[in-house]
């Protein structure tokens, strides 16, 4: 739809004329034109994350890596 909205903006036609010529409803063109003209806020808080923070702690002898999760689970990986 982004391409079609750009074509519409460049066409100089009314929404009704453009929509009719492209076989779509005027309301659909209006919806997408409105939706695509809004700025996207990438910094907006999307709510709680489902990721659990983990801490990677290498074991002193260098032979394993211990991953200790916040919820108490520990994963030991031999290196």
């Amino acid at each position: 739809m982004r391409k079609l909205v750009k074509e519409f903006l460049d066409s100089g036609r009314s929404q009704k004329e453009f929509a009719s010529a492209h076989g779509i409803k005027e309301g659909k063109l209006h919806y997408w034109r409105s939706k695509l003209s809004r700025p996207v806020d990438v910094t907006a808080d999307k709510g709680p994350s489902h990721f659990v923070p983990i801490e990677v702690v290498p074991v002193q002898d260098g032979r394993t890596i211990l991953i200790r999760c916040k919820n108490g689970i520990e994963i030991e990986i031999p290196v």
Side-chain angles (χ1 to χ4, degrees), residues 11-59:
S11 74
R13 292 180 173 180
S14 71
Q15 282 189 165
K16 186 174 186 174
E17 290 173 332
F18 188 86
S20 178
H22 287 81
I24 61 172
K25 293 183 179 181
E26 184 181 356
K28 184 174 185 177
L29 178 59
H30 176 77
Y31 168 81
W32 281 104
R33 183 178 170 210
S34 173
K35 184 171 178 70
L36 294 173
S37 69
R38 290 186 218 131
V40 177
D41 184 4
V42 294
T43 63
D45 184 13
K46 305 283 190 236
S49 172
H50 296 288
F51 289 104
V52 176
I54 63 170
E55 178 184 349
V56 178
V57 182
V59 177

